[in-house]
Amino acid sequence: MLYWLAQNMEFAGVFNLIRYLSFRAGAAIFTALLIGLVIGPKFIGWLRIRQGKGQPIRDDGPQTHLAKRGTPTMGGLMILTSMVISVLLWMDLSSTYVWACLFVTLGFGAIGFLDDYDKVTKASHKGLSGKMRLLFEFLIAGFAAWMIVNQHGNTALYVPFYNGPAIELGPFYFCFAAFVIVAFGNAVNLTDGLDGLATMPVIIASLAFMLIVYLVGRADFAEYLGIPHVPGAGNLTILCGAIIGAGLAFLWFNAPPAAVFMGDTGSLALGGTIGVIAVTAHHEIVLGIIGGLFVVEALSVIIQVFFYKRTGKRVFKMAPIHHHFEQLGWAEPTVVIRFWIIAFVLALAGLATLKLR
């Protein structure tokens, strides 16, 4: 909105800064952070009154988690509110890519909200049917993929560490892109099991993709680095900035001991958003490196279920894998901080692929 005003009206002095992408990205961080910190206390109080007993805690989980009973969930609504307002204030309203990403953000957020609502009202940790969730997630992700491809017409898969031609997927790219978005959304959702565990890695991944989409959107930098050039993708730096600001504000209240849980409302939406950003920038494989922590968390669940159904034995003491380390005796803050360090290292490794081609 502010960008549109700057483009269509004559401003002098400092207001000309609105025209610059870097300024608006920084402004998006600050705006989302400020909104989140301002609305947080009243929002959490409202959730606590509305939900009563808060998010149901698994009886078969780590016993230390039982003390968290009564903590409200759906804190993702706070994240999405501050994030979307910031994006709408600073984005280029003509950007198809930003609208495609917001479609996933709000769509996945709505699915997560229904899941959280079902858990709270039924006092059960089960939530919506997995098949129903996946069906709607793939419909939303598929439409967003169509919007993106319809804009730039590129259906190729770019492989890091390789300077040869991209792999042309053709129509199959829509299925691949939808899978990336859905898979990453659910991977972040599975990671959100400890106070602050998912929030900081999401912020780290957003910082990495803020740089990536800026470079991808610049023809000169893209040519120099040998990465795909996607005209207009630079506008997604605004969205990445909003995620960072909203995530930092939420972390203020989610730091151990958490005053509120993100819930599926936030984790599913944030994961899907980062997934669709990666699809837009044609860095789907790099997403698997930068978001490697989330990938490992999801794989630990898949491996656990696969082997347990076939052998009756567990590979991990408990899945997702962060619970495995808790069962080994690691304190919750120890698991969280060490996983943050891993996420940071993986983000640096992912960014290193920009030149190693």
Side-chain angles (χ1 to χ4, degrees), residues 228-257:
H229 170 50
V230 183
N235 286 299
L236 294 183
T237 57
I238 311 300
L239 179 56
C240 291
I243 294 174
I244 294 164
L248 288 172
F250 179 76
L251 190 61
W252 183 269
F253 304 103
N254 187 236

Side-chain angles (χ1 to χ4, degrees), residues 236-308:
L236 294 183
T237 57
I238 311 300
L239 179 56
C240 291
I243 294 174
I244 294 164
L248 288 172
F250 179 76
L251 190 61
W252 183 269
F253 304 103
N254 187 236
V260 64
F261 295 143
M262 184 186 300
D264 293 359
T265 308
S267 58
L268 196 62
L270 291 175
T273 303
I274 295 175
V276 73
I277 290 172
V279 167
T280 304
H282 278 291
H283 276 67
E284 301 91 347
I285 296 178
V286 174
L287 173 65
I289 301 173
I290 291 175
L293 176 66
F294 302 115
V295 174
V296 170
E297 290 272 8
L299 286 177
S300 70
V301 174
I302 295 171
I303 292 169
Q304 185 86 321
V305 172
F306 178 84
F307 278 94
Y308 186 76

